[in-house]
């Protein structure tokens, strides 16, 4: 399988919007998201992907076919992260691989590509009831060569309820 990530161009905003609908549908069993009056899932940060320089939206393709996305935030100052005391932390904001590509190593490869591209400390959160996501990220971090799990904590605040993994990627 040829797995690639590439930045979403602004012209591709409708594709990301559609993928977010699939993502929100999939994750609604864990996070309780509901359809709005128009039959869509709300996502208030869609436009921010192109208006805020620190946000990086990536399209995932497998053998040329759209397979998902990764939305990351780079160089978040320490006062805005959940656990990190590093001066700057990278955050995986949202991560989605379509069902037909799951359990085939696609998500793992995409995570490795992101870690390789933006070295440093990463914060990765999972919804408390999404045990599959938690297992996935623990496995990815453990198997990433040159990686180091710095901290794992259960965070329960008004903004977040679930496990947070703090991880440092170093050039492989």
């Amino acid at each position: 399988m040829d797995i690639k990530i590439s930045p979403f161009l602004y012209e591709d905003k409708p594709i990301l919007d559609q993928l977010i609908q699939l993502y929100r549908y999939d994750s609604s069993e864990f996070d309780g998201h509901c359809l709005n009056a128009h039959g869509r899932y709300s996502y208030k940060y869609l436009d921010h992907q192109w208006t805020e320089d620190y946000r990086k939206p990536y399209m995932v393709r497998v053998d040329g076919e759209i397979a998902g996305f990764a939305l990351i935030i780079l160089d978040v100052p320490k006062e805005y992260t959940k656990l990190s005391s590093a001066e700057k932390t990278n955050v995986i904001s949202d991560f989605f691989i379509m069902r037909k590509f799951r359990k085939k190593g696609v998500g793992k490869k995409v995570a490795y590509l992101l870690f390789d591209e933006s070295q440093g400390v990463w914060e990765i959160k999972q919804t408390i009831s999404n045990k599959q996501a938690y297992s996935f990220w623990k496995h990815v971090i453990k198997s990433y060569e040159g990686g180091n799990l710095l901290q794992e904590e259960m965070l329960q605040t008004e903004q977040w309820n679930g496990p947070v993994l703090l991880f440092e990627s170093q050039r492989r």
Side-chain angles (χ1 to χ4, degrees), residues 20 23 54 64 69-70 72 78 84 103 125 132 161 167:
I20 287 171
Y23 166 64
Y54 54 88
F69 67 84
I72 63 172
K78 66 180 169 184
S84 180
K103 308 251 188 253
K125 302 178 300 227
Q132 291 174 326
N161 182 21
F167 163 73

Side-chain angles (χ1 to χ4, degrees), residues 6-19:
S6 60
F8 266 102
L9 303 175
Y10 183 74
E11 298 79 44
D12 295 327
K13 179 180 167 185
I15 297 170
L16 180 56
D17 184 42
Q18 180 59 39
L19 289 171

Side-chain angles (χ1 to χ4, degrees), residues 65-79:
E65 183 180 345
I66 296 171
F69 67 84
L71 306 181
I72 63 172
I73 304 171
L74 297 176
D75 298 332
V76 177
K78 66 180 169 184
E79 59 267 20

